[in-house]
């Protein structure tokens, strides 16, 4: 169910980006534009009374479908102390993949510890390029991990990305789940949209 490595800029691409910004010594760097399309019509996920009521809310494209998770599915998908609470389906938006939201109500877990459990319990074999990064999710300090490995069931290489942070109402983990690395990479901008638009409730 669960289961990325962001491709780093090559020297050539980095040099091109540097030349594009110029070297005029202006007051500051140009403001970075988000990777996601800001003109996309969106919906608010996580609101009280919605299918996926969560301790946070955030934006996703309006054509994505959200669904809560049954107790039976939670038992099968629990990672450490994190239980799947919501499934966000990107297939109606043209990408074969999901972003799944896990919640951990324990007081002892930290974002880094939760992500380490996701990596260690991953079904991917020969995991490599495991990279942890500090980031922000709305107002919260967060940690993100990406890696890749071999999916023996499908006989193919697969990417994984997970984001974790602690809100006043519990720890959350967002998991990109896509079998095809191309679909996985297509979902990364939407994870950025979540981070940029996320608010506590």
């Amino acid at each position: 169910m669960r289961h990325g490595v962001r491709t780093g800029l090559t020297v050539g691409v980095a040099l091109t980006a540097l030349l594009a910004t110029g070297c005029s010594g202006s007051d500051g760097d140009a403001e970075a534009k988000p990777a996601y399309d800001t003109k996309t019509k969106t919906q608010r996920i996580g609101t009280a009374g919605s299918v996926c009521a969560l301790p946070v809310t955030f934006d996703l494209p309006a054509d994505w479908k959200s669904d809560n998770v049954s107790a039976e599915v939670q038992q099968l998908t629990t990672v450490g102390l994190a239980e799947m609470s919501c499934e966000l389906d990107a297939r109606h938006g043209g990408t074969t993949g999901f972003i799944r939201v896990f919640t951990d109500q324990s007081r002892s877990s930290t974002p880094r510890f939760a992500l380490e459990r996701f990596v260690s319990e991953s079904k991917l074999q020969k995991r490599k390029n495991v990279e942890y990064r500090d980031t922000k999710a709305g107002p919260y300090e967060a940690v993100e991990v990406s890696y890749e490995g071999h999916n023996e069931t499908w006989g193919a290489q697969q990417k994984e990305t997970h984001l974790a942070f602690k809100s006043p109402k519990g720890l959350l983990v967002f998991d990109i789940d896509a079998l095809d690395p191309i679909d996985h990479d297509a979902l990364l901008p939407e994870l950025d949209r979540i981070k940029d638009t996320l608010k506590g409730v």
Side-chain angles (χ1 to χ4, degrees), residues 108-144:
S108 59
S109 289
T110 65
R112 176 66 182 243
F113 178 75
L115 294 185
E116 288 174 348
R117 293 295 296 267
F118 269 76
V119 175
S120 65
E121 296 185 25
S122 170
K123 302 300 182 183
L124 298 185
Q125 304 298 312
K126 300 179 181 179
R127 294 184 290 277
K128 62 181 181 179
N129 298 331
V130 180
E131 179 186 350
Y132 291 89
R133 299 173 293 279
D134 292 329
T135 184
K136 294 276 287 187
Y140 308 116
E141 299 297 329
V143 181
E144 192 171 284

Side-chain angles (χ1 to χ4, degrees), residues 44-129:
R44 198 69 181 166
I45 303 292
T47 56
S50 66
V51 173
C52 284
L54 294 167
V56 296
T57 64
F58 50 88
D59 290 347
L60 277 179
D63 51 11
W64 283 40
K65 302 299 181 183
S66 59
D67 198 3
N68 57 15
V69 179
S70 67
E72 291 78 12
V73 171
Q74 281 186 337
Q75 290 179 347
L76 295 172
T77 58
T78 297
V79 183
L81 299 174
E83 298 179 340
M84 190 193 302
S85 299
C86 182
E87 183 175 75
L88 306 168
D89 187 346
R91 291 177 296 178
H92 296 275
T95 302
T96 304
F98 304 84
I99 294 180
R100 296 189 167 101
V101 185
F102 292 73
T103 54
D104 180 347
Q105 300 300 325
S106 69
R107 296 182 179 274
S108 59
S109 289
T110 65
R112 176 66 182 243
F113 178 75
L115 294 185
E116 288 174 348
R117 293 295 296 267
F118 269 76
V119 175
S120 65
E121 296 185 25
S122 170
K123 302 300 182 183
L124 298 185
Q125 304 298 312
K126 300 179 181 179
R127 294 184 290 277
K128 62 181 181 179
N129 298 331

